[in-house]
């Protein structure tokens, strides 16, 4: 079975413009609605493919993400490999390749985000620690009026109890920042592990699916005209072609 998805997208240009997705079914497909979202079912002799957008809307120029489901109707195992997925975008007469982002690269991106977050958390902890070290000091300005004029002087005092309270507060804040950063990173990685489409062998009668992440090209010919996104999946030898129209959200 060779599994092919071709997403033809009419993309509107604009900085933060929101877009929606709808499907154009051919004779072997059925456009449906799942939980209020457009979806499409493509049926072949040995396989069924279902696809829908991962979100109801997405920003123009953002990574398109789709939820893909594959059903093995044959009596033999079928291999799916993300490296065999190809994607491209057509704008006018120009065709530009779109990168299919594999699970491993998404994990690497999350690791990079974690490293950046750790630096920011470290900076915040350092600022809190410095503030705590200064919390025990108090400076008082006193003004004295005398027949010869007025003058002011400053006195500095130190409160150990105030300093200790500030240090304890800073420690709690630091522990909270670190704990939150670690938990969020673990949560993001677990979500990728759970959701992203990966290489898989489908047993007879088995469903397999996940999210497919595409990287939009930085340039695709005439930006003012309609564009077509083409994604090609290989699972055996049967092809499933799926046309996706992306409209500006109103």
């Amino acid at each position: 079975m060779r599994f092919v998805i071709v997403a033809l997208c009419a993309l509107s240009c604009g900085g933060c413009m929101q877009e929606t997705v709808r499907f154009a079914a051919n004779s072997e497909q059925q456009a449906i609605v799942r939980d209020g979202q457009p979806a499409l079912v493509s049926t072949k002799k040995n396989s069924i493919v279902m696809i829908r957008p991962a979100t109801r809307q997405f920003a123009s120029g953002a990574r398109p993400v789709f939820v893909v489901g594959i059903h093995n109707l044959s009596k033999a195992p079928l291999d799916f490999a993300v490296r065999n997925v190809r994607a491209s975008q057509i704008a006018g007469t120009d065709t530009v390749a779109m990168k299919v982002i594999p699970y491993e690269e998404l994990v690497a991106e999350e690791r990079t985000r974690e490293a950046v977050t750790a630096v920011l958390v470290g900076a915040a902890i350092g600022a809190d620690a410095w503030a705590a070290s200064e919390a025990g000091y108090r400076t008082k300005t006193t003004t004295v009026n005398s027949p010869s004029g007025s003058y002011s002087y400053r006195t500095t005092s130190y409160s150990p109890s105030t300093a200790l309270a500030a240090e304890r507060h800073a420690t709690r804040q630091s522990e909270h920042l670190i704990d939150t950063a670690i938990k969020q990173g673990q949560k993001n990685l677990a979500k990728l592990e759970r959701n992203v489409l990966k290489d898989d062998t489908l047993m007879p009668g088995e469903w397999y699916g996940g999210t497919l992440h595409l990287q939009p090209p930085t340039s695709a010919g005439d930006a003012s005209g309609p564009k077509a996104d083409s994604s090609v999946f290989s699972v055996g030898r049967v092809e499933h072609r799926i046309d996706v129209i992306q409209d500006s959200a109103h």
Side-chain angles (χ1 to χ4, degrees), residues 15 29 43 50 54 72 103 106 119 164 237:
Q29 299 170 345
T43 305
M50 296 183 66
N72 181 4
Y103 165 75
L106 292 170
V119 172
L164 180 60
R237 300 181 182 276

Side-chain angles (χ1 to χ4, degrees), residues 175-234:
E175 291 174 350
H176 176 71
L177 287 172
I178 295 171
D179 185 60
T180 299
I182 292 174
K183 287 182 176 179
Q184 186 60 51
Q186 292 173 341
K187 181 179 178 180
N188 292 342
L189 289 172
K191 184 177 180 181
L192 291 174
E193 171 67 29
R194 183 173 62 251
N195 295 341
V196 175
L197 206 62
K198 311 174 192 68
D199 295 356
D200 192 79
T201 297
L202 286 78
M203 295 294 106
E206 184 181 12
W207 275 97
Y208 173 69
T211 55
L212 173 73
H213 298 245
L214 302 177
Q215 181 64 55
T218 56
S219 176
D222 182 9
S224 63
K227 301 180 180 66
D229 289 352
S230 168
S231 301
V232 180
F233 298 68
S234 297

Side-chain angles (χ1 to χ4, degrees), residues 157-170:
S157 61
Y158 180 76
S159 170
S161 60
T162 301
L164 180 60
E167 289 174 4
R168 289 176 175 174
H169 177 73

Side-chain angles (χ1 to χ4, degrees), residues 5 9-10 32 74-75 78 81-82 99 102 112-113 121 123 126 134 152 185 187 198 205 210 217 226 229 237-238 244:
I5 290 184
C9 308
I32 62 175
S74 73
K75 296 181 179 180
L78 297 172
V82 176
K99 183 177 182 179
T112 299
R113 279 193 289 268
V121 167
E134 296 293 315
S152 299
K187 181 179 178 180
K198 311 174 192 68
D229 289 352
R237 300 181 182 276
V238 176
V244 183

Side-chain angles (χ1 to χ4, degrees), residues 58-59 61-66 101 105-106 109 113 213-216:
F58 56 91
R63 290 178 177 177
V65 181
F66 293 91
I101 307 173
E105 187 167 330
L106 292 170
E109 289 180 351
R113 279 193 289 268
H213 298 245
L214 302 177
Q215 181 64 55

